[in-house]
Amino acid sequence: MPADMSGNKRKRAARVLLVLLAAAALAAGGYLAGRHAGGEKTAAGLPPSSGRAADPHRVLFYRNPMNPAITSPVPAKDEMGMDYLPVYADEAKTGAAKKSLAQKADDFFSDAAPQAPPPGLAPVTLDSNALALAGVRTAQAQFTSFTKDVRAVGRIVPDESRLYRVQTKIRGWVETLDVSVTGQSVRKGERLLSLYSPELVASQEEFLKARDAAAALRSSPDPETRRLGEGIMEAARRRLALFDVPASFIRSLESSGRARRTVEFTAPVSGVVLEKGVTAGQLVEPGTVLFSVADLKRVWVEADFYEDEARLLKEGMEARVTSPYDPALSLPGKIIFLVPFLKADSRTLTARFSFANPGLALKPGMYVNVYLAVGLGRSVVVPDTALIRTGTRTVAFVEKDKGLFEPREVSAGVESDGLVQVLSGIAAGERVAVSANFLLDSESRLSAVIGAASGSSSGGGK
């Protein structure tokens, strides 16, 4: 065989050997890869992954653009015709809140167990740029004395304990009328009217006869006789007094010794005539209201309070009244009575206040402003803008670390002057978001929905 043919055969054999070695190497690699994949299949009981789960841009679901809690597994439109927004797998990874090392240490060494976020909400993490763009501001919860400012509109009414009615206890005719108009001011003892009554004239005559008899019996040596005369005179005097004849008139009658045709009736107190029930020449019967006179040096203020404020009121509480017509008017007073039932039409409770009335500045029928400062002791308080009320719960976002906001369900108490009392859920010293809360709430809801969808997706593949 020629030498060149022998050399060609050796070259072809060498190339075949190299191809066989390469094929063997590929077969060994495929076997190992297949064995590795087969081990995963045995452990999970599922066929090897197709590679979609590893795609960070895989669409998990579609969410309503106005309400993240409403989702759809397929593209859809809301009631306004807006397209649902896709939520990708990488959003589920970045949406979860991350805690710093310091926060993790605080949670580890904290005595209290960490609070679980309210249902449907999740912690929110924002970087410094997002915080600045959103305008998120925080404030510190304070443990301080808390006072509730209560305000109501009150009506001035006369003090019923200082209201007097002038009535007749005998039949007669009004001869002269000295107080002729309603609203006229009178002084105690001032004459109101003169009344002619035959019965009063007879009573005067009886008194004068008793006076003369008493004077005649005073010279008797018998003490019983003298006492009898004095008793008769005293009985006649008391009869006139029981008809409301003024004591000054009786003294004048006793000194003059002559009965008068008319009897003058005077004002029992100083005050203002609120009601005039007679005219000159009128016949009056027993029980007729001649005048109503009110002493207005002290008046009542009646104000209505809604149920949430009424529960704070107690008798004896200090109050202050001001007038919208006179900015300089400011008078102190206090609650003297709380009506024990609510008004059915307005669902309010009426409180009665007593106020001194210097210069008669407070006039019956006037409307005034009533202010009370109700002390509620020391409490944890936050700005009222920190709370989001949904109707079924109240939520606040507590800043646990820089940019990390944790949703908390809180129990709110009384509100006053831009602050709200926190009964539970927030501790003194914690910082809460007081602006852009609804942005945090939206992000929190979206993070919770994404987390739930991501969990269910991964759970369904196991």
Side-chain angles (χ1 to χ4, degrees), residues 54-106:
D55 183 7
H57 297 292
R58 178 171 58 92
V59 176
L60 293 177
F61 58 90
Y62 297 85
R63 68 173 178 87
N64 188 303
M66 304 302 294
N67 187 352
I70 302 176
T71 62
S72 172
V74 296
K77 293 181 179 293
D78 66 2
E79 60 274 8
M80 299 177 62
M82 300 175 63
D83 292 330
Y84 275 36
L85 302 178
V87 177
Y88 298 96
D90 55 355
E91 292 186 42
K93 296 178 181 179
T94 59
K98 299 178 181 179
K99 294 187 177 182
S100 66
L101 183 60
Q103 182 58 39
K104 291 178 181 179
D106 290 342

Side-chain angles (χ1 to χ4, degrees), residues 298 318-321 330-334 354-356:
R298 179 168 288 274
E318 300 293 330
R320 184 162 291 277
V321 67
S330 179
L331 298 173
K334 64 179 180 179
S354 179
F355 289 90

Side-chain angles (χ1 to χ4, degrees), residues 414-433:
V414 178
E415 295 184 34
S416 178
D417 197 22
L419 298 175
V420 60
Q421 183 184 35
V422 177
L423 304 179
S424 64
I426 300 175
E430 292 187 307
R431 300 195 69 83
V432 293

Side-chain angles (χ1 to χ4, degrees), residues 25-36:
L26 291 174
Y31 173 77
L32 291 175
R35 183 175 181 180
H36 178 70

Side-chain angles (χ1 to χ4, degrees), residues 181-410:
V181 294
T182 303
Q184 183 174 339
S185 298
V186 296
R187 296 186 304 273
K188 183 177 181 178
E190 182 179 348
R191 187 175 67 180
L192 299 177
L193 55 82
S194 61
L195 186 72
Y196 165 69
S197 170
E199 190 173 353
L200 283 178
V201 173
S203 297
Q204 292 181 67
E205 295 288 351
E206 181 182 338
F207 173 77
L208 292 177
K209 291 178 180 179
R211 184 202 65 165
D212 295 341
L217 294 176
R218 285 194 191 100
S219 60
S220 172
D222 183 10
E224 290 296 332
T225 302
R226 293 195 299 270
R227 282 194 294 271
L228 177 61
E230 293 295 332
I232 294 174
M233 182 178 176
E234 187 60 32
R237 185 196 305 274
R238 187 162 54 252
R239 177 181 173 84
L240 288 173
L242 290 176
F243 285 142
D244 290 337
V245 176
S248 59
F249 182 90
I250 298 176
R251 288 194 298 269
S252 175
L253 175 64
E254 183 178 2
S255 61
S256 65
R258 187 175 57 188
R260 298 172 58 177
R261 183 175 183 274
T262 61
V263 177
E264 298 174 351
F265 289 86
T266 59
V269 294
S270 298
V272 175
V273 176
L274 300 182
E275 180 184 354
K276 183 178 75 71
V278 293
T279 56
Q282 179 179 338
L283 170 66
V284 294
E285 300 290 344
T288 302
V289 178
L290 306 178
F291 300 97
S292 293
V293 181
D295 180 3
L296 299 180
K297 292 181 180 178
R298 179 168 288 274
V299 294
W300 286 351
V301 175
E302 293 185 343
D304 297 332
F305 296 87
Y306 291 106
E307 295 177 73
D308 61 330
E309 296 175 335
R311 65 184 181 85
L312 304 174
L313 305 182
K314 300 288 186 298
E315 291 186 10
M317 278 186 174
E318 300 293 330
R320 184 162 291 277
V321 67
T322 63
S323 171
Y325 317 107
D326 184 5
L329 179 65
S330 179
L331 298 173
K334 64 179 180 179
I335 299 177
I336 60 172
F337 184 70
L338 294 172
V339 177
F341 54 85
L342 296 180
K343 291 183 177 179
D345 53 347
S346 61
R347 306 302 301 167
T348 56
L349 179 77
T350 301
R352 185 174 297 153
F353 301 79
S354 179
F355 289 90
N357 191 18
L360 304 184
L362 303 178
K363 297 175 172 54
M366 180 185 292
Y367 285 92
V368 292
N369 298 319
V370 182
Y371 296 93
L372 297 98
V374 182
L376 300 175
R378 296 179 64 82
S379 307
V380 176
V381 296
V382 297
D384 55 6
T385 56
L387 303 184
I388 300 176
R389 292 178 170 86
T390 65
T392 57
R393 66 184 180 186
T394 302
V395 176
F397 284 88
V398 179
E399 188 179 31
K400 300 299 293 182
D401 199 2
K402 185 62 176 178
L404 172 60
F405 292 90
E406 178 182 273
R408 297 263 189 91
E409 188 168 353
V410 302

Side-chain angles (χ1 to χ4, degrees), residues 40-50 52-54 58 60 452-462:
E40 291 182 348
K41 174 181 176 182
T42 304
L46 293 173
S49 173
S50 63
R52 282 185 65 189
R58 178 171 58 92
L60 293 177
S454 176
S456 62
S457 175
S458 60
K462 288 184 180 180

